[in-house]
Amino acid sequence: MIFKKIGVLFTSLLLLVSCASVKEKTTQTSLDSNKTKPKNIILLIGDGMGLSQISASYYYNDSTPSFDRFETIGLIKTSSASELITDSASSATAYATGISTYNGAVGVNVDTIAVKTIIEHLIPRNISTGIISTSSVVHATPASFYAHVKSRRLYDDIASFLPDSNLDFIAGGGSQFFDNRKDMRDIFKELKNKGYEVHKNTLPFEASEKKQAIILAPDGMPKMLEGRGDFLPNTTKLALEKLSKNDNGFFLLVEGSQIDWAGHSNEADYLISELLDFDKTIGVALDFAKNNPETLVLVTADHETGGFTLAQDGKDYNKIKPVFSTGGHSATLIPIFAKGPGEDNFKGIFKNTVLFDKLMSLYGIN
């Protein structure tokens, strides 16, 4: 009888421990689930940045690269609908809209029909948005997030989308496409009429309550080697200051454009200087996320440019020689780095169109 009572007591204790364990696991699962949805997403695109370009930050940096701060890494397949090797427009459109399209397409499908971008999905939901680029803001990558044209070369047409885009923050070059146009439109004036604070000469010291358009060069911004300075990290800080005022969250696109241009021209010093500037900007985003833990930081590229390699110099295994194999793009898989709530969604290998689906899911949009 005593043994029977001990057995019943033991069974009861087991059930109690089991229930507590289940409750703990359920609570933990619930907590983990809450952590998987970010309020803010910062997407940094190093145009033309493949694995060798990223590796250069480890060999030519005076400090530990920002890439070292990531633990979650995946790979992206980049082929377009028309070609095995994508261009920036097609790949950026895949990121922005979730559809695979032809090379040169900006925000349109293979039939040149406009497809809604992630920014156009977010703005009606009162989520703040911004784009920053070291190229002109009407260049292929940033344009694919707010414009819809059949060819990336239609710069005047792309600029015409900006006044009605409702972007909260715009920064980069491209003033020649805003005024003195053949159609006599003054995009700067139209931006002002839409409530934008326009800056054409210098970067403002602080964020404004108004929407901001900062266009500081006729076309692309100057190279780092020509004294561009901290334009990219500083505009990123300014954008984060502004966009983070929205309790509903934000989406910020930051493009390090000229890594690609250096790859096309096969200029190693140019490439490395642009890459290090981009790495510094990644650090700004990660520092913000550290202080604002509801923020997810993603770093990737649209494609690799130049077939860039860090090779041994002759027979010297202690000396690196940057080498290019092409003046165009390559078909190599592109790394994606993720840090913050929802980062586990970016493990593995996936098509560039899937990035859009993952972003939309994290924002809770079907």
Side-chain angles (χ1 to χ4, degrees):
M1 191 68 167
I2 294 173
F3 288 113
K4 185 176 180 181
K5 287 183 177 179
I6 291 173
V8 170
L9 182 61
F10 184 67
T11 302
S12 299
L13 284 171
L14 279 176
L15 284 170
L16 194 62
V17 170
S18 177
C19 288
S21 177
V22 168
K23 185 177 180 181
E24 183 181 352
K25 285 179 181 178
T26 303
T27 304
Q28 186 62 47
T29 302
S30 177
L31 287 172
D32 289 344
S33 177
N34 290 336
K35 291 179 181 177
T36 59
K37 294 289 178 75
K39 184 173 80 171
N40 314 311
I41 297 178
I42 307 170
L43 175 60
L44 299 108
I45 297 178
D47 197 323
M49 184 185 72
L51 191 56
S52 286
Q53 284 86 343
I54 292 166
S55 300
S57 69
Y58 285 84
Y59 296 102
Y60 296 94
N61 210 327
D62 292 333
S63 56
T64 303
S66 297
F67 293 103
D68 234 26
R69 297 168 66 177
F70 293 90
E71 295 179 357
T72 300
I73 304 169
L75 292 170
I76 296 178
K77 296 178 284 187
T78 63
S79 295
S80 70
S82 62
E83 310 285 351
L84 288 174
I85 299 176
T86 190
D87 78 333
S88 295
S90 173
S91 189
T93 295
Y95 289 157
T97 69
I99 59 108
S100 187
T101 191
Y102 60 90
N103 284 2
V106 170
V108 298
N109 65 16
V110 292
D111 297 315
T112 71
I113 296 170
V115 182
K116 204 171 183 179
T117 71
I118 183 170
I119 281 175
E120 291 168 329
H121 281 284
L122 295 178
I123 288 173
R125 291 168 169 81
N126 296 318
I127 294 172
S128 293
T129 58
I131 60 164
I132 302 171
S133 181
T134 55
S135 66
S136 73
V137 295
V138 300
H139 216 253
T141 301
S144 296
F145 283 81
Y146 67 83
H148 307 278
V149 297
K150 64 182 180 181
S151 171
R152 59 181 291 176
R153 306 298 175 192
L154 299 173
Y155 299 124
D156 281 359
D157 291 347
I158 292 169
S160 299
F161 281 87
L162 281 168
D164 293 318
S165 68
N166 282 318
L167 285 158
D168 295 282
F169 190 90
I170 305 163
S175 61
Q176 63 177 312
F177 308 110
F178 287 66
D179 55 15
N180 298 315
R181 294 160 50 108
K182 290 180 181 178
D183 62 6
M184 306 302 292
R185 287 180 64 177
D186 186 338
I187 303 300
F188 283 125
K189 184 177 180 181
E190 292 181 26
L191 284 164
K192 289 177 182 177
N193 290 340
K194 292 290 184 177
Y196 280 87
E197 180 182 281
V198 174
H199 298 266
K200 295 189 278 186
N201 298 312
T202 58
L203 189 67
F205 290 110
E206 59 185 6
S208 170
E209 293 298 321
K210 290 184 173 183
K211 293 176 287 188
Q212 289 178 290
I214 303 161
I215 311 297
L216 303 184
D219 197 356
M221 295 296 295
K223 301 176 182 179
M224 283 300 293
L225 296 177
E226 295 172 346
R228 186 174 72 236
D230 284 338
F231 167 83
L232 194 60
N234 285 346
T235 50
T236 301
K237 287 177 185 176
L238 190 65
L240 292 172
E241 178 189 342
K242 177 175 178 55
L243 301 180
S244 61
K245 293 178 181 179
N246 185 353
D247 291 336
N248 294 319
F250 66 79
F251 173 82
L252 176 63
L253 169 71
V254 181
E255 186 200 23
S257 320
Q258 298 187 40
I259 300 168
D260 173 71
W261 299 357
H264 280 298
S265 59
N266 286 185
E267 297 178 69
D269 289 346
Y270 180 16
L271 187 155
I272 291 166
S273 64
E274 296 295 329
L275 189 281
L276 295 181
D277 177 57
F278 187 62
D279 181 71
K280 184 175 183 179
T281 306
I282 294 169
V284 169
L286 289 171
D287 288 346
F288 174 87
K290 185 177 181 180
N291 295 320
N292 299 270
E294 293 176 297
T295 304
L296 172 65
V297 178
L298 300 171
V299 181
T300 189
D302 42 7
H303 53 73
E304 193 277 338
T305 304
F308 184 64
T309 304
L310 298 175
Q312 71 185 69
D313 191 355
K315 294 183 179 181
D316 191 344
Y317 281 82
N318 272 320
K319 192 173 181 182
I320 294 172
K321 182 180 181 181
V323 177
F324 296 90
S325 64
T326 178
H329 300 170
S330 72
T332 60
L333 297 182
I334 294 302
I336 181 166
F337 300 80
K339 189 174 184 66
E343 67 180 75
D344 285 349
N345 289 280
F346 301 91
K347 292 177 179 178
I349 302 173
F350 53 91
K351 185 80 174 70
N352 53 8
T353 53
V354 177
L355 180 67
F356 170 85
D357 299 326
K358 293 177 184 292
L359 294 176
M360 294 288 279
S361 177
L362 288 173
Y363 278 116
I365 303 170
N366 278 328

